[in-house]
Amino acid sequence: MAISARVPQRLSHLPFRGSRAVAAGLLTRTMLRGPTWLRLLPDVYVHRDAHRADDHRTWCEAVALRLPPDATLAGRSAAWLFGVDLLTPGDPVTALLPTTSRLRPHPRMSLVRSPLPEEDRTRFAGLPVTTALRTAFDLGRHGSRVEALVAVDALLRRRVVELPALRDYAAARARWPGSPLIREVLALAEPLSESPMETRLRLLLLDAGLGPLTAQHEVRHGGRFVARVDLAWPALRIAVEYDGDHHRERAHFRRDVARLNALRSAGWIVLRFTAADVLRHPEATVALVRQALAERHAATPTR
């Protein structure tokens, strides 16, 4: 008989506690030590056919089985469950534990200890997680300034949280660690930012003193819609855009050419940058934008 025929249906897809399966008579200890089951964490197993090494959801399910009752998934793992992917391949699952809770460390878990009142805990997608507000608050006050802003912008863009509510939440916790960082992040946050790289490009320009600038500006000419641009100085008719890899696709490229020609006909200068421009050559990127702004300022009549 095939091994799959002996697999209990309730254990065929998701991680489970081995001790509970044995106590329920579904498996034996000897069966758990066989090739059908993979041990993910202490006493947590999954069927070999259901295992995907880089599937963050599987690891969230596994870690949740080990959490004390007053702990939750948090940080980037909670954001991922809310539909906002801030992860890099192989990232461990972030879990938040109250200061009195105990859990043995594991390479696939990133354990954070912090006060976790009842109002900051919820369940989402069947798992214990920090609330959307607590998740955004934590991501906005830890790590680097740019990564904190990327996280908050992404959560705002997906409407996981709203900016006024997050500001109120942070203000009520002004003495928590990382509060100076999240205050700065909330002052810079832009719910209209459409991608992490767009956020990074916008912050690069703001830090260079080239603001203020408008996100997702609609360009109209002769009363007709021309295009929506990522970042703009509308009075000077200058646009800055981030081009991701999808812009290299043939159909997208054709649309980009027609769109760029329409913007130029409307009198706009459009500067387009890639990830390499933002991450590897930030000085050159800033210099090009600064030059365009200076040229337009020089050509604009003073009154």
Side-chain angles (χ1 to χ4, degrees):
M1 184 181 293
I3 291 177
S4 59
R6 299 195 297 269
V7 175
Q9 181 64 29
R10 60 201 288 189
L11 305 182
S12 62
H13 302 298
L14 296 174
F16 60 91
R17 291 293 293 259
S19 58
R20 294 175 187 169
V22 171
L26 299 174
L27 297 172
T28 65
R29 290 288 180 187
T30 300
M31 293 169 69
L32 278 177
R33 289 193 292 269
T36 302
W37 310 101
L38 299 178
R39 184 176 181 269
L40 301 180
L41 299 171
D43 195 37
V44 176
Y45 297 82
V46 70
H47 188 270
R48 64 182 182 186
D49 292 341
H51 179 57
R52 303 291 182 271
D54 294 326
D55 179 16
H56 200 70
R57 174 62 191 242
T58 296
W59 285 106
C60 284
E61 295 274 1
V63 170
L65 290 170
R66 296 293 307 173
L67 292 180
D70 53 355
T72 67
L73 305 176
R76 288 183 291 180
S77 294
W80 187 87
L81 291 169
F82 287 134
V84 175
D85 188 359
L86 303 167
L87 299 168
T88 56
D91 275 352
V93 174
T94 301
L96 199 160
L97 281 69
T99 53
T100 56
S101 293
R102 295 290 178 266
L103 183 63
R104 182 175 297 178
H106 188 276
R108 294 302 307 226
M109 295 189 290
S110 174
L111 303 181
V112 180
R113 299 190 181 276
S114 174
L116 185 56
E118 179 65 29
E119 60 267 25
D120 284 350
R121 304 200 300 264
T122 188
R123 293 190 73 84
F124 188 84
L127 298 172
V129 296
T130 48
T131 62
L133 278 172
R134 178 61 190 269
T135 300
F137 175 70
D138 286 345
L139 288 170
R141 66 190 178 99
H142 292 303
S144 70
R145 176 169 166 266
V146 64
E147 292 304 327
L149 181 59
V150 164
V152 169
D153 272 4
L155 289 164
L156 292 172
R157 178 174 68 253
R158 289 295 299 265
R159 296 188 177 181
V160 175
V161 292
E162 300 292 337
L163 188 53
L166 183 54
R167 284 175 173 157
D168 289 345
Y169 184 94
R173 293 155 181 79
R175 295 184 179 275
W176 284 46
S179 290
L181 174 58
I182 195 168
R183 281 197 294 271
E184 183 178 5
V185 165
L186 292 178
L188 294 166
E190 176 52 77
L192 297 177
S193 184
E194 292 197 334
S195 72
M197 284 306 306
E198 186 179 316
T199 293
R200 290 184 172 91
L201 176 56
R202 179 171 59 86
L203 184 59
L204 174 65
L205 299 176
L206 290 175
D207 283 347
L210 302 182
L213 62 167
T214 302
Q216 300 305 315
H217 177 70
E218 285 194 359
V219 176
R220 294 185 174 273
H221 184 61
R224 300 183 65 182
F225 175 81
V226 176
R228 187 180 65 179
V229 296
D230 293 343
L231 303 166
W233 292 261
L236 297 174
R237 289 185 292 177
I238 295 177
V240 167
E241 301 211 284
Y242 169 70
D243 282 357
D245 289 340
H246 64 282
H247 286 271
R248 298 184 179 91
E249 298 170 3
R250 180 172 298 180
H252 210 299
F253 176 76
R254 290 182 183 137
R255 290 195 297 270
D256 281 351
V257 169
R259 180 174 173 274
L260 185 59
N261 288 339
L263 284 165
R264 286 174 175 166
S265 295
W268 280 71
I269 294 175
V270 182
L271 300 174
R272 302 170 67 179
F273 299 105
T274 65
D277 295 319
V278 178
L279 300 176
R280 300 178 191 170
H281 310 292
E283 296 87 358
T285 299
V286 168
L288 285 171
V289 177
R290 194 186 303 278
Q291 180 182 357
L293 290 170
E295 291 173 355
R296 274 293 166 92
H297 276 297
T300 300
T302 57
R303 295 184 180 180

